[in-house]
Amino acid sequence: MSDLQDRMKQAVAAAATEQIKSGMVVGLGSGSTAALMIQALGAKLKSGELSDVVGVTTSFQGEVLAAELGIPLKSLNAIERIDLAIDGADEVDPAFQLIKGGGACHVQEKLVAVRAERFVVVVDSTKLVDTLNLSFLLPVEVLPGAWRQVQAQLAAMGGDAQLRMAVKKAGPVVTDQGNLVLDVKFAAGISDPAELEAAINNLPGVLENGLFVNITDQVLVGEIVDGEPRVRDLVKR
């Protein structure tokens, strides 16, 4: 990552962290920008600027990082509410509909996002698109014994679905829930995210897909302007 990119991600992570107040239960997202946000939160708790903040993580990766930083954690089943969730996204359209799941954490990410009173998304400007799925594949988490069946059903819906393979191990990617991921491409992109999210999740063998529909309250975009990092608060269309 270049120094400018790193500074841009640091800026947007810091802007999101500014929304965390003492006493909050906070959903801690996954990915590189969310990791910077978790680090910023850890620093504020250590310095005493914030206190009594409890985190709910969306991935094992985030859990390990938060634990190393001394951020108190609770599970979804152990909390009554989530005041604020902060997470990244792989694509964001003008209506604030998202594709997430590049890190195969979208099941827990969606559980946390829908539970939160406010869901704030932190991205860089490259993640902004007019139509979802033209560039980034849609992740669909499936039961291991059903991936071929679901693949065929997605093909019947017009989606080319390929099993996600691991990079540094032999065989497929296995999620934190012990399932597999199909990455799906629809030739014309996704024109109706709400309809497709429901249709895919209705397929037997599917646990969840990476479409996040009508969940996002705010999108903070990191940009480089005149060689300096800037954060833009996006307006929903």
Side-chain angles (χ1 to χ4, degrees):
M1 186 187 300
S2 71
D3 179 58
L4 274 179
Q5 278 182 306
D6 189 47
R7 287 169 61 203
M8 176 181 66
K9 290 192 172 195
Q10 292 275 9
V12 75
T17 311
E18 285 296 316
Q19 301 194 28
I20 302 174
K21 308 300 180 189
S22 293
M24 277 188 169
V25 177
V26 183
L28 305 177
S30 310
S32 58
T33 306
L36 293 172
M37 176 272 296
I38 295 172
Q39 290 171 347
L41 172 59
K44 286 191 171 192
L45 287 169
K46 186 175 182 180
S47 71
E49 184 177 343
L50 289 174
S51 61
D52 301 319
V53 173
V54 173
V56 180
T57 59
T58 61
S59 66
F60 186 66
Q61 169 210 27
E63 183 180 333
V64 170
L65 178 59
E68 287 176 349
L69 294 168
I71 300 172
L73 298 176
K74 287 189 176 181
S75 69
L76 272 174
N77 288 327
I79 49 116
E80 297 298 322
R81 71 186 194 285
I82 296 176
D83 299 294
L84 171 69
I86 302 170
D87 206 346
D90 296 297
E91 286 190 338
V92 182
D93 80 3
F96 284 16
Q97 315 294 34
L98 317 175
I99 287 182
K100 289 175 55 55
C105 304
H106 51 287
V107 171
Q108 187 74 5
E109 288 171 343
K110 192 178 286 191
L111 284 168
V112 169
V114 299
R115 186 83 176 273
E117 291 295 319
R118 293 190 65 249
F119 178 44
V120 176
V121 171
V122 288
V123 293
D124 62 70
S125 55
T126 65
K127 306 297 177 65
L128 304 180
V129 299
D130 289 325
T131 303
L132 297 175
N133 194 227
L134 289 177
S135 300
F136 197 86
L137 302 177
L138 173 65
V140 177
E141 184 160 336
V142 298
L143 297 174
W147 76 266
R148 290 293 297 274
Q149 177 177 328
V150 174
Q151 183 184 48
Q153 291 172 309
L154 288 166
M157 296 166 62
D160 177 19
Q162 301 299 321
L163 190 62
R164 186 183 299 184
M165 303 305 289
V167 175
K168 292 187 177 181
K169 69 174 274 293
V173 166
V174 179
T175 70
D176 287 355
Q177 287 75 33
N179 297 310
L180 305 180
V181 176
L182 291 171
D183 287 314
V184 190
K185 178 73 174 73
F186 292 89
I190 297 171
S191 59
D192 190 336
E195 181 182 30
L196 187 63
E197 180 193 34
I200 292 176
N201 279 355
N202 205 34
L203 297 174
V206 171
L207 183 61
E208 186 56 82
N209 71 80
L211 283 167
F212 282 52
V213 176
N214 301 331
I215 301 173
T216 306
D217 296 297
Q218 183 181 20
V219 178
L220 298 176
V221 184
E223 301 175 312
I224 300 297
V225 179
D226 297 328
E228 292 298 321
R230 187 183 74 173
V231 178
R232 179 159 53 106
D233 195 341
L234 210 60
V235 177
K236 185 189 290 189
R237 282 194 264 155

